[in-house]
Amino acid sequence: MQESYQQYLLRGGFPFALQLPDDESFRDYIDGVVNTVLVKDVLARKDKSDSTLVRRLAAFLTETAGSLTSPKKIADTLTSMGEKTTPNTVASYLELLENAFLFYRCDRFDIGGKKYLSINPKYYPVDISLRRALVGQKRPNKGSRLETIVYQELRRRGYEIYVGVMQQTEVDFVVAKDGRREYYQVSLSLDDEQTYQREVRSLRLIDDNYPKIILTEDPGHFDDQGISQVNIIDWLMGE
């Protein structure tokens, strides 16, 4: 299982990619998937499209998956990198990338106020393998990659997914299905006590009896005052 998980971290979950015998074939396949979607489903649907801009936007979203953002923040960042653009242009491309199912938008939900927030969402790529085509061999943010995997799996399981906000703290995911709600935090490891306390803080502020789960690469399954710590592989194989 550990070997399969490590392979998933490297190659993602596109079915055909799993059949490819070597890294070069895999890289060519992923490049082809990304280029086809960007050209046919994004650039072809926009007048006066900018292929360099949309590719840099897709690379930015991949590299910053799991971070709160906005069209203005993205436009400012891309402009500072030499790709001058505007928030309106970025917003139009974001919509096209969503419509092409290359990226998914995750809006925020105020848990205490029980209201939806439409500003500063997060974006996640449809598959972690897109990183190879869009960002290359740059060292990955492992926490962001793990959070993306959890988001993708929650979607596969049919949940509505939001970023939770609770008294100035954040819950990585608030999910709902069939009238039931669950809360998830995602962390590579909780071996450090300070990290553990930071991750459980927002969950302890939530005053209801719905499941509260921290997913981590640490082995084992633990429970602390109703907050479960679950190994990511066990969770992925659990449903």
Side-chain angles (χ1 to χ4, degrees):
M1 281 298 179
Q2 186 62 236
E3 183 179 347
S4 296
Y5 175 67
Q6 293 301 321
Q7 185 74 353
Y8 178 46
L9 292 178
L10 291 173
R11 289 199 174 189
F14 283 129
F16 185 72
L18 304 180
Q19 305 173 32
L20 298 174
D22 55 68
D23 194 63
E24 184 177 356
S25 299
F26 166 72
R27 186 174 60 251
D28 290 344
Y29 168 71
I30 296 300
D31 285 342
V33 170
V34 171
N35 290 331
T36 297
V37 174
L38 288 180
V39 171
K40 290 187 176 180
D41 292 339
V42 177
L43 295 174
R45 299 189 182 191
K46 183 174 175 62
D47 294 334
K48 299 179 181 180
S49 57
D50 185 334
S51 60
T52 301
L53 173 60
V54 76
R55 191 172 185 89
R56 287 190 179 178
L57 171 58
F60 176 84
L61 294 177
T62 300
E63 194 162 15
T64 61
S67 298
L68 298 175
T69 192
S70 67
K72 185 181 187 309
K73 180 179 179 180
I74 296 172
D76 289 346
T77 301
L78 293 178
T79 298
S80 71
M81 296 167 58
E83 190 64 43
K84 189 174 182 180
T85 187
T86 67
N88 285 340
T89 299
V90 168
S92 67
Y93 277 123
L94 287 173
E95 184 177 0
L96 289 171
L97 289 170
E98 286 183 75
N99 291 340
F101 302 107
L102 206 60
F103 291 90
Y104 290 92
R105 170 177 170 144
C106 189
D107 286 319
R108 296 189 299 154
F109 177 73
D110 183 340
I111 300 170
K114 298 182 180 179
K115 60 183 179 180
Y116 299 97
L117 307 172
S118 60
I119 60 172
N120 299 329
K122 294 184 178 183
Y123 287 89
Y124 294 94
V126 66
D127 191 87
I128 56 175
S129 63
L130 297 189
R131 181 179 179 85
R132 289 293 298 274
L134 293 166
V135 183
Q137 291 291 87
K138 186 175 179 180
R139 188 174 183 273
N141 180 326
K142 292 183 179 180
S144 172
R145 182 173 62 183
L146 183 61
E147 191 173 320
T148 300
I149 287 172
V150 173
Y151 176 82
Q152 293 165 347
E153 180 63 21
L154 289 169
R155 283 194 59 86
R156 291 188 187 102
R157 295 183 183 186
Y159 287 100
E160 294 179 34
I161 314 170
Y162 301 92
V163 179
V165 179
M166 186 65 185
Q167 297 183 19
Q168 308 303 313
T169 67
E170 182 179 297
V171 177
D172 288 328
F173 300 116
V174 179
V175 303
K177 183 170 71 172
D178 300 329
R180 177 182 174 86
R181 188 184 296 173
E182 296 178 2
Y183 305 98
Y184 288 91
Q185 292 285 52
V186 183
S187 180
L188 282 173
S189 175
L190 295 179
D191 283 346
D192 177 71
E193 181 64 20
Q194 186 175 355
T195 301
Y196 176 74
Q197 292 300 329
R198 185 186 68 236
E199 295 296 338
V200 300
R201 179 173 174 245
S202 57
L203 295 177
R204 285 175 173 162
L205 291 172
I206 302 172
D207 187 21
D208 64 36
N209 294 319
Y210 290 117
K212 302 171 180 67
I213 302 160
I214 305 177
L215 297 174
T216 174
E217 290 186 342
D218 296 334
H221 186 156
F222 309 96
D223 190 276
D224 182 5
Q225 299 178 13
I227 298 175
S228 299
Q229 178 183 335
V230 182
N231 173 263
I232 183 63
I233 296 176
D234 294 340
W235 181 76
L236 290 170
M237 298 301 297
E239 186 171 316

